[in-house]
Amino acid sequence: MKKIAIVVIMVMACLGCTNTQKTLPADLVKQYYILQITKADTLVKQLYSKVQNNAPADSIKQAFKVARLAYKKTEFLAEYYNPLTAKSINGAPISSMDDNDQHKIDAPEGFQVIEPFIFPQYTNNQKKELLQEIGILKSNFVRLKSVAEHQELANAQVFDALRTEVFRIITLGISGFDAPIAQNSMAEGAAALTSVKEVLNIYKSEFKNQTELNNTVQLLDKGIKNLATSNNFNAFDRMQFITSYANPLSASILNLSQQLGNPEFKDLRALKANAATLFDENAFDANYYTASYDAHMSKEKAELGKLLFYDVILSGSKNRSCGSCHKPELAFTDGVAKNATINGKSLVKETPQLF
């Protein structure tokens, strides 16, 4: 009886227990990601409904804008984990070669294909084609959500994706590549930075010293405000945004990742995983573009290249080298409007110039 009583007490104690196991930040980020995909999917369906029901043009334009704004809050992970699906949702509106079949050409699809149907002026003359494209977009969001639900996230990858998103805002966002006709790039950049801020806040409890995190969040707030309050695409000061906000942000995110002890990625990339900004001296790895490991650059190859660059024996007249016209101190130009030909009797038609 004594043993039974002890067992009963233990069972009752367990029944009274609550599950205090902490949810990992990466799991919370996954929940956030799926929630944002769901919101974007809902807004794309609303866009479809408005077009189908012949809503006013301004209403359809606004529905398109808010749908893509919602996608921008998923972009950092969609592009990182599912680049092909992301390309189908918001890739360049040009045909491309199929990744699995070089003889097959894939037609573009997604927001950037839909945009010209709606902007600058919307008419329902191509309603059927527009609905078809939005239908494809809906299917791609279903695919993105399905994959996301089975995607395992890691802290190091999340921070890598956040840093890469800042680079994406600089190169594809504020440049207008993502919204060439609607010109809603600044608002979309603000939405993307908002997702960066919200995800960083998920990790707040993970930092023993939160000074750097707080400084980064404050910087994000300023960057978001800078983008959100800019209503003129052409007048936006991109240099000021990059130097005052984007560059410090990408560097801070890398630093925060290191503070959490996230491992450094060693894989070969065009843009190195340890590049704090796009403008770091060694941010890009030329080896990424070589055909094989044997073609990778080495100190010996660099020295040989330098010797050949300045060797006049390679020219027909034996008196001119590559370095004769491409001077490193002049950004590899020759500093003159027209240079003489090798025989010195005339001028070349074109010459490398520094603008």
Side-chain angles (χ1 to χ4, degrees), residues 129-145:
E129 294 88 344
L130 176 56
L131 287 174
Q132 180 179 343
E133 293 296 339
I134 301 175
I136 294 172
L137 183 61
K138 288 196 299 179
S139 299
N140 284 324
F141 270 106
V142 171
R143 179 167 48 138
L144 182 64
K145 185 175 181 180

Side-chain angles (χ1 to χ4, degrees), residues 266-270 272 285-305:
K266 301 295 184 181
D267 53 317
L268 182 63
R269 303 179 178 187
K272 294 180 180 178
D285 192 340
N287 290 328
Y288 177 81
Y289 299 97
T290 58
S292 65
Y293 179 81
D294 292 335
H296 283 195
M297 189 173 69
S298 66
K299 181 180 179 180
E300 293 75 17
K301 288 179 181 178
E303 288 297 325
L304 174 60

Side-chain angles (χ1 to χ4, degrees), residues 26 37 49 53 82 107 124 126-127 154 176 195 204 225 274-275 277 288 305 308:
I37 293 174
S49 178
N53 295 313
N82 308 106
N124 61 1
Q126 295 178 289
K127 177 179 176 180
S195 68
K204 188 170 185 177
K225 182 179 179 181
N274 62 353
T277 78
Y288 177 81
L308 294 174

Side-chain angles (χ1 to χ4, degrees), residues 176-325:
F177 179 88
D178 274 353
I181 307 175
Q183 293 193 344
N184 201 36
S185 301
M186 279 67 234
E188 292 180 5
L193 280 189
T194 299
S195 68
V196 173
K197 175 187 172 181
E198 290 170 348
V199 170
L200 285 179
N201 279 327
I202 291 175
Y203 284 88
K204 188 170 185 177
S205 62
E206 301 299 308
F207 292 92
K208 294 180 180 179
N209 183 349
Q210 297 195 356
T211 301
E212 177 75 14
L213 176 63
N214 292 335
N215 290 341
T216 305
V217 171
Q218 290 175 14
L219 187 60
L220 277 163
D221 285 335
K222 293 178 182 178
I224 292 168
K225 182 179 179 181
N226 180 255
L227 289 167
T229 56
S230 177
N231 299 318
N232 190 322
F233 175 83
N234 293 320
F236 181 69
D237 192 338
R238 290 163 177 80
M239 182 62 71
Q240 192 262 343
F241 172 78
I242 292 171
T243 56
S244 298
Y245 306 111
N247 282 351
L249 278 172
S250 60
S252 291
I253 292 170
L254 180 63
N255 187 39
L256 289 172
S257 181
Q258 292 168 346
Q259 284 187 33
L260 288 181
N262 290 330
E264 184 178 315
F265 294 97
K266 301 295 184 181
D267 53 317
L268 182 63
R269 303 179 178 187
L271 178 61
K272 294 180 180 178
N274 62 353
T277 78
L278 280 176
F279 305 93
D280 286 7
E281 183 177 356
N282 297 309
F284 295 91
D285 192 340
N287 290 328
Y288 177 81
Y289 299 97
T290 58
S292 65
Y293 179 81
D294 292 335
H296 283 195
M297 189 173 69
S298 66
K299 181 180 179 180
E300 293 75 17
K301 288 179 181 178
E303 288 297 325
L304 174 60
K306 188 174 181 179
L307 289 172
L308 294 174
F309 190 78
Y310 291 106
D311 196 340
V312 297
I313 200 173
L314 297 177
S315 68
S317 62
K318 305 295 188 292
N319 64 1
R320 181 175 292 193
S321 70
C322 297
S324 299
C325 295

